[in-house]
Amino acid sequence: MGYHLAGFDVTGIDLAAQPRYPFTFHQADALAYLADRGTEFDLIHASPPCQRYTNAQKIRGNDHPDLVHPLRDLLAATGRPYVIENVPGAPLHDPVELCGSMFGLRTYRHRMFETSFPVPALHHPRHLAPNAKMGRPVRDGEFMHIVGNFSNVPLAREVMGMPWATRDGLREAIPPAYTAHIAAQHLASTRTAVVA
């Protein structure tokens, strides 16, 4: 949504059906689609599954494939500007970290972004508000931790800025404010390149 708000025509690709996705959507293997058609896009944003890098999965001893490295190779081969988004701990090159507090959101939701264009770091406010404990209502003054079996989907939609999203979609999403910021940085870098 952030890219759409910045003026991009958005196309989504995912192996799983996404019936609530608000833009053009192709159900396909994203890596195969990228290999075949990646050069058709002006900017590619990729969010490979994060399970390999989350603490919860490591604690449980679950094994998930590393998709960041093959994805990066495919993105570089397209020659197109790209973004790889993932959780802290993912093997991203020189990522910038974004947090909901940077955008006035009531969630911290740290995410890392590797980009092929410059994205300056934003001021990261101190985390003064506590996170609501998972599974119980959010109290006044608390931030919402939108993971696992969180309660109050309508509030989560409001906090994330995603009124269309399902519970599963919210658990795995990044707020549109993040991608709007990334899109603005990409547009600024292309304008600078044209002027220079």
Side-chain angles (χ1 to χ4, degrees):
M1 182 59 74
Y3 290 108
H4 168 74
L5 295 173
F8 285 86
D9 290 326
V10 177
T11 299
I13 295 99
D14 198 295
L15 195 55
Q18 302 293 328
R20 297 177 67 114
Y21 190 75
F23 308 110
T24 301
F25 178 77
H26 299 284
Q27 186 172 352
D29 178 282
L31 294 177
Y33 197 95
L34 180 61
D36 290 343
R37 303 185 66 181
T39 58
E40 297 174 13
F41 297 95
D42 296 321
L43 172 64
I44 303 168
H45 178 110
S47 295
C50 66
Q51 286 84 352
R52 181 177 178 95
Y53 316 109
T54 63
N55 289 332
Q57 297 298 320
K58 290 175 188 172
I59 290 167
R60 291 185 183 128
N62 293 336
D63 189 28
H64 294 277
D66 172 19
L67 297 177
V68 170
H69 291 94
L71 174 64
R72 183 183 293 116
D73 292 342
L74 283 170
L75 290 167
T78 68
R80 299 297 189 191
Y82 69 83
V83 177
I84 303 174
E85 174 272 328
N86 219 283
V87 296
L92 302 181
H93 294 168
D94 196 25
V96 64
E97 182 177 39
L98 296 180
C99 169
S101 65
M102 296 172 175
F103 302 96
L105 304 178
R106 289 178 47 214
T107 186
Y108 294 121
R109 200 155 194 93
H110 295 106
R111 291 298 181 268
M112 309 303 283
F113 296 84
E114 173 184 327
T115 62
S116 64
F117 50 90
V119 176
L122 295 174
H123 170 68
H124 196 161
R126 288 182 56 212
H127 293 185
L128 300 176
N131 263 327
K133 297 289 183 192
M134 188 168 41
R136 72 156 173 76
V138 178
R139 297 179 184 144
D140 286 345
E142 290 182 329
F143 273 35
M144 191 168 194
H145 195 51
I146 304 168
V147 298
N149 191 24
F150 66 91
S151 61
N152 201 339
V153 171
L155 178 61
R157 288 178 178 138
E158 179 184 325
V159 166
M160 294 278 284
M162 299 175 61
W164 65 90
T166 63
R167 174 188 297 277
D168 288 340
L170 289 163
R171 269 196 293 254
E172 297 185 8
I174 55 173
Y178 295 12
T179 50
H181 173 70
I182 297 288
Q185 298 308 306
H186 170 65
L187 293 171
S189 73
T190 57
R191 279 193 294 271
T192 302
V194 170
V195 172

